[in-house]
Amino acid sequence: MDLQHWLGQANDAIQEWADTFGPYEQHPSLLVEDDRFAAVFEEFTGRLKDNYPFFHPHYAGQMLKPPHPAAVVGYLTTMLINPNNHALDGGPATARMEREAVAQLAVMFGYDTHLGHLTTSGTIANLEALFVARELHPGQGVAYSADAHYTHGRMCHVLGMKGYPIPTDDRGRISLDALEDMLRTGEVGTVVLTAGTTGLGAVDPIHTALPLRDRYGVRLHVDAAYGGFFTLLAGADGPEGLPQEAWRAIAECDSIVVDPHKHGLQPYGCGAVLFRDPEVGRFYLHDSPYTYFTSTELHLGEISLECSRAGASAAALWLTFQLLPPTAHGLGRVLGAGRRAALRWSELITASDVLELYQEPALDIVSYFPVVQPTTLTGIDAASARVLADGMAAPDPVFLSTLKADREAFTARHPKVTADAHGARILRSVLMKPESEHHVQHIHDRVEHLARS
């Protein structure tokens, strides 16, 4: 795609439509001369250079990458109109696009029926899911993996619910034995299962957790903000294929959160929440004397906690899905490249004499640490911090991130390590850009060199 060309087309298309309403003059208070703008724009673009190169495959740090050009064009085109998807009166076209895109997400997860909408983030999406859970199970708390995103503890506090972190196994997944012990108390009404933790990419055993819902009458919510689109690789051929059981079981859970601004190629912020039972919409019921008046159709603001939301986000997602749909042969190919990259790097690390794999990657996040002598947590922590800093400062930079692993988690995976501290930082690389597949060897060589230095 020629981005510059299509952005020009976008401006022309919107101007042509705007001209049908008759000419008008812009108010003089809004006028800015080009010369004045040029000076400010130069400073603005200069300041934007104070960023890491999230677009480049040598950036393998946090969960950051640029949106697809189609999403950029869709967002910027729609932003020229600036619709608000809270009500049909504020964004009739983009509200329809949102419903269609969310329906595609529901099909991706296997929901036969659904109620859902986009949000500005996974945090807000999880807040909405836990809000509904609170209304359905008043007075009961929420259980979630100790490795789940911190948003669950935070949102429990916001909602006045008790949160119960549950220990994890030696692969970072929620311990079902510990979970069942908690459920026997009767204090938990909702269980959050994570499909792709943000630390290690671990996928909770959703399929084996399903019987607990029937046994204890709890609600099951899946936080798939990071990993949700990996359901497209469930049962796929090739090394990138994932075991199907946990991903197929999502269709039987009560609610789902996924972030298109992660693996859905969208700009921030674009999250989504879906409920299997549309009847939960009754908990959102409210009225606005000036908002919902031109249609008896359901307005998106009537089924969301947020009010104003950018119609441009829905338009960007809709346009992207027309070209790269959430199917195995659409977005699945993009995720497959990152998954293969992670598996290839784990092989290189396993064969290395200066790096050691922390655990096998479950999705596209690789965790590892420098080999040190003596093998102590303090030594590993210091070496990981040094590699991180030196990598960013090097003439041929590589951008990584670190993850703090506590003593129990570390020794469960590596019992020969001397636990002389409460924990240690390990290196963590997110290979969510498909281009990573072609740069793994280079990144590995650079990290090996830094570890040896």
Side-chain angles (χ1 to χ4, degrees), residues 259-289:
D259 276 355
H261 63 216
K262 291 190 172 75
H263 286 100
L265 305 178
Q266 298 306 294
Y268 287 104
C270 185
V273 60
L274 298 96
F275 300 96
R276 188 173 61 160
D277 179 9
E279 290 299 314
V280 302
R282 68 187 185 275
F283 297 118
Y284 290 99
L285 285 178
H286 67 279
D287 191 25
S288 171

Side-chain angles (χ1 to χ4, degrees), residues 63 147 168-173 194 196-203 226 339 342 358-368 403-405 409 413 426-430:
M63 297 168 172
D147 284 1
T168 57
D169 63 16
D170 61 1
R171 292 171 63 186
R173 306 171 305 179
T194 303
T197 59
T198 51
L200 295 169
V203 179
Y226 181 71
R339 171 77 179 137
Y358 179 69
Q359 74 171 47
E360 289 288 335
L363 300 176
D364 60 0
I365 298 175
V366 184
S367 54
Y368 53 101
L403 172 70
K404 185 66 176 287
R413 294 165 173 81
I426 60 172
L427 294 166
R428 167 182 170 274
S429 295
V430 182

Side-chain angles (χ1 to χ4, degrees), residues 140-151:
Q140 291 182 295
V142 179
Y144 43 84
S145 155
D147 284 1
H149 198 276
Y150 62 83
T151 189

Side-chain angles (χ1 to χ4, degrees), residues 355-356 367-372 376-392 400-404 410 424-428 447 450-451:
L355 298 173
E356 186 166 349
S367 54
Y368 53 101
F369 55 91
V371 174
V372 297
T376 64
L377 289 180
T378 53
I380 291 169
D381 181 81
S384 296
R386 179 182 57 76
V387 169
L388 174 72
D390 291 352
M392 290 189 290
L400 314 171
S401 62
T402 57
L403 172 70
K404 185 66 176 287
F410 210 118
R425 282 169 289 183
I426 60 172
L427 294 166
R428 167 182 170 274
V447 176
L450 292 165

